[in-house]
Amino acid sequence: MRACLLALVVFPGLAQAQSISDARLTGPTDRYPHGVLGDPSEHDTLQVTLSDGTRLSARWPAPMVFEDTSPRVVDLNGDGAPEVIVVQSHENLGAQMAVWGLRDGALVPLVAGPHIGTRFRWMAVAGAADLDGDGAMEAAYVDRPHLARELVVVRVRQEGGAWSLREIARTPGLTNHRIGETDIAGGIRDCGQGPEIITANADWSRIIATRLQDGSLQQTDIGQHDDRASFATALRCDPLPD
């Protein structure tokens, strides 16, 4: 990441012993007017709430912004203290997935994947889970959900103080967002046989459940897509109409 980060910490003495319980984006900015999420402004600030109610914020100056619907609060290393998954974008290089967390009482970026490489190109996070049951956490996102429509899974690891994101699988023909929508469709469910990533197919006619098995992504058509209620039905593990 090339930008210089300005972190704003509130009550740092209290923050050190706490964990992240919630996260949101604030600080609207129009300096990266992509507008893919239904609004020409993005955000320059990530704000987290800790378990004792303390709030910490970190702000990106140019050329970076946060470009996402809502950050995801997930324990990625199994220590009981959640991290935050969020998409952030560079004005020339486009989006990247990043993990933020607490370090010495401050909210800081822990690791980030590669930028897509082009301005106004985005990714939509589907969620995070131990997708193949090996004890390690994975995060899933759709690479350019309006163009490439490829589901990508990356393994998230922490070894000592070093975090890493490594792509382990990718499959085409899936999406979870349309231009102008303010939310990301689908997510991750577990109906008793292990986690599945729920998305639409490329033309939004079908709901697809995808599993990570033996290092590859296996797609299953689980029914008809009509609207957001179709995704809610799938995530509840209820049957969809054929």
Side-chain angles (χ1 to χ4, degrees):
M1 288 175 280
R2 302 180 182 181
C4 175
L5 180 71
L6 172 63
L8 307 176
V9 181
V10 182
F11 304 128
L14 295 176
Q16 266 185 315
Q18 302 301 314
S19 61
I20 296 170
S21 60
D22 187 43
R24 70 187 188 99
L25 300 179
T26 185
T29 176
D30 60 2
R31 54 181 166 80
Y32 185 73
H34 191 186
V36 75
L37 294 170
D39 189 320
S41 68
E42 306 302 342
H43 297 86
D44 66 12
T45 300
L46 173 63
Q47 182 183 93
V48 300
T49 302
L50 304 187
S51 49
D52 69 347
T54 301
R55 291 181 178 177
L56 305 179
S57 296
R59 184 179 67 85
W60 277 126
M64 294 287 291
V65 297
F66 295 102
E67 187 178 14
D68 209 341
T69 56
S70 179
R72 297 126 199 104
V73 178
V74 185
D75 181 5
L76 294 171
N77 61 1
D79 67 354
E83 288 74 38
V84 178
I85 300 173
V86 68
V87 174
Q88 54 197 32
S89 295
H90 185 284
E91 66 180 17
N92 297 320
L93 302 176
Q96 64 179 170
M97 189 176 69
V99 176
W100 288 66
L102 301 181
R103 183 172 287 165
D104 298 326
L107 177 63
V108 297
L110 301 174
V111 66
H115 290 275
I116 286 176
T118 302
R119 177 178 175 85
F120 294 159
R121 295 294 182 267
W122 186 63
M123 56 185 61
V125 175
D130 178 4
L131 292 174
D132 57 1
D134 68 349
M137 290 289 285
E138 288 84 29
Y141 66 88
V142 177
D143 178 1
R144 292 159 291 172
H146 323 118
L147 296 171
R149 300 182 180 94
E150 293 183 330
L151 178 64
V152 180
V153 171
V154 298
R155 182 151 292 143
V156 186
R157 288 194 183 278
Q158 182 192 18
E159 296 181 343
W163 287 77
S164 64
L165 298 176
R166 181 173 66 88
E167 181 178 323
I168 59 172
R170 179 183 290 257
T171 189
L174 300 173
T175 187
N176 58 356
H177 187 267
R178 289 182 282 200
I179 292 173
E181 291 177 336
T182 58
D183 66 332
I184 294 171
I188 296 178
R189 73 177 190 180
D190 189 337
C191 301
Q193 291 80 44
E196 298 175 304
I197 307 161
I198 302 301
T199 65
N201 64 351
D203 68 3
W204 289 87
S205 63
R206 311 294 295 175
I207 301 290
I208 308 297
T210 303
R211 291 178 177 272
L212 177 64
Q213 294 180 324
D214 300 321
S216 65
L217 294 170
Q218 309 297 323
Q219 300 181 24
T220 301
D221 185 328
I222 60 173
Q224 177 179 310
H225 170 260
D226 293 316
D227 52 27
R228 282 295 191 269
S230 301
F231 288 101
T233 298
L235 290 171
R236 290 196 306 267
C237 301
D238 292 337
L240 287 161
D242 291 334

